[in-house]
Amino acid sequence: MQVILDYGVEGKEGENNYDESCEEFIRVICFAATQKNVPFVSVKVTGIARFSLLEKIDELMHLVNADSLIKKYYAALKILTEAVHEEWMRVDKRIRKICDAANEANVGFLVDAEETWIQDPIDALTMLMMAEHNKTKLTVYNTLQLYRHDRLNCLISSYEAAEERNFLFGAKLVRGAYMEKERRRAKEKGYQSPIQLNKNATDTDYNNAVRFCIDHIDKIGIMVASHNEYSNMLAVELLQEKGLPINHPHVHFSQLYGMSDNITFNLAKAGCSVSKYLPFGPIKDVIPYLMRRAQENSSVGGQTSRELSLLKKELQNRN
Ligand SMILES: Cc1cc2nc3c(=O)[nH]c(=O)nc-3n(C[C@H](O)[C@H](O)[C@H](O)COP(=O)(O)OP(=O)(O)OC[C@H]3O[C@@H](n4cnc5c(N)ncnc54)[C@H](O)[C@@H]3O)c2cc1C
C-alpha cells in the first residue's frame, strides 16, 4: 500500500502565502522522491492562486469565441489588465516550477478538481503541463469529476487533444466533492446545474470513464480515486478481461486516508498499485480544511454508515 501526499492548504490568500505553498509543494516532492511508497503528490491550484483570479479567467474563457479549451484560455489571458495578467503569470510560474520538480524527481503530480466556476483555467493549465511533461512518461494528471454531466465528453476530447499533440493523458477519476455547493450556486444564479440529475447518472458516467481509460490504456494513465466497490472492481475486471496485469503501470487506485480500508487493503493484497490519499500540513490549516471537506462531501455520511455496517458484521463473525 502506498501513500499520496496531499498538502492541505487552501483559501490562504496573498502572494507570500502562495510562494510559500509553492516551496512547500516542492519540498514534499523532494521528500516523496526519497520514499519508495510515495508515487504521487497532489496540488490544489487554489493553494497557489487567488480564487477570484481563477474565477475571473474562467468567466472570460466562457465569453470568448474559440473552438478549444486552450484557445479560450489564451484568448482570455489577452483581455486581462496588465496587473492581473502579471499576477496570473506568477501562478503559471509556480505551477511550472512544481511540475519541473515532479518531473525531475519522477514523482507523479495530481492536480485536484475544484468548483466548476474556477475549473476551466485549471484544466487548461494542466493540459499545457501534460503536453510538456507527459511525452514519454506520465507525470501530470488532471482530475475529472464525473458528477458533472460534461466530464465524460471532456475526458474523450482531452484524450483526442493529447493524441493529436502526442502526449499521454493522465486522468484521476473522481465523482466529485462539491455537489451541494454547485447545485446551490446554480439555483441562486439561475443557470443549469452542472451536476448530473441523480447518483445513478454519476455512477454510469464514472464507470464509462473507467471503461474508456482502460480501452485506451496505452495512451492514458488512470487513477481510480473512489470508495465505490463496484467501480474499483470494474477496473480490475476490465484489466483481467483484456489479459492485462492488474498492476499495469498506467493504472492506480486510491482511497482517502481513514476511509474504505477494506477496499484499499484488498486491492493491495490482490497486487494492484493502490494508495491512501493523505492530507497533511500545519494543524491550524489542515483541520479547517478537513472540516470543510466533511461538510461539503455528501458521501461522507453514506460512506461512514457503509463502513460501520461492515465493522459490525465482522464483529458478529468473530463472536
Ligand atoms: C483519492 C481521492 C482523491 C479525490 N480528489 C478529489 C478532487 O480532486 N476533487 C473532488 O471534487 N473530489 C475529490 N475526491 C472526492 C470524490 O470526488 C468523492 O466525493 C468521494 O470519493 C465519494 O465518491 P466515491 O466514488 O468514493 O463513492 P460513492 O459513495 O459511490 O459516491 C458518492 C458521490 O456520488 C455523487 N453523488 C451522490 N449523490 C448524487 C446525486 N444525487 N446526484 C449526482 N451525484 C451524486 C457525489 O459526487 C458523491 O460524492 C477524491 C476522492 C479520493 C478517494
Side-chain angles (χ1 to χ4, degrees), residues 255-302:
Q255 289 77 43
L256 303 179
Y257 180 73
M259 286 175 80
S260 300
D261 285 350
N262 56 320
I263 295 178
T264 317
F265 294 164
N266 280 311
L267 287 169
K269 199 170 162 199
C272 297
S273 170
V274 58
S275 62
K276 279 305 195 196
Y277 207 79
L278 178 70
F280 78 97
I283 202 103
K284 65 177 183 350
D285 296 333
V286 172
I287 293 297
Y289 163 86
L290 291 175
M291 293 300 288
R292 270 197 302 276
R293 289 287 82 79
Q295 280 162 357
E296 277 158 9
N297 194 339
S298 56
S299 78
V300 170

Side-chain angles (χ1 to χ4, degrees), residues 149-164:
H149 46 66
D150 62 352
R151 288 298 96 168
L152 187 57
N153 280 340
C154 170
L155 169 67
I156 298 167
S157 60
S158 304
Y159 161 77
E160 286 166 358
E163 270 289 273
E164 209 173 285

Side-chain angles (χ1 to χ4, degrees), residues 112-114 143 145 147 172 174-179 183 195-199 202-203 206 225-228 254-256 277 297-299 303 306:
D112 280 359
E114 306 190 52
T143 302
Q145 298 158 314
Y147 68 5
K172 174 179 146 221
V174 301
R175 281 183 169 73
Y178 309 94
M179 188 173 74
R183 284 190 169 145
I195 306 298
Q196 309 262 16
L197 283 180
N198 51 45
K199 170 80 161 71
T202 300
D203 290 346
Y206 191 96
S226 172
H227 308 116
N228 184 292
S254 187
Q255 289 77 43
L256 303 179
Y277 207 79
N297 194 339
S298 56
S299 78
Q303 186 63 33
R306 198 151 71 203

Side-chain angles (χ1 to χ4, degrees), residues 4 10 38 45 100 117 119 164 173 184 195 225 232 254 258 264 270-271 279 284 299 305 307-308 314 318:
I4 296 175
E10 186 195 64
V38 189
V45 174
D100 287 347
W117 57 99
Q119 193 58 41
E164 209 173 285
L173 303 182
R184 203 168 47 239
I195 306 298
N232 281 289
S254 187
T264 317
K284 65 177 183 350
S299 78
S305 47
E307 288 195 59
L308 194 61
E314 181 58 19
R318 291 184 191 194

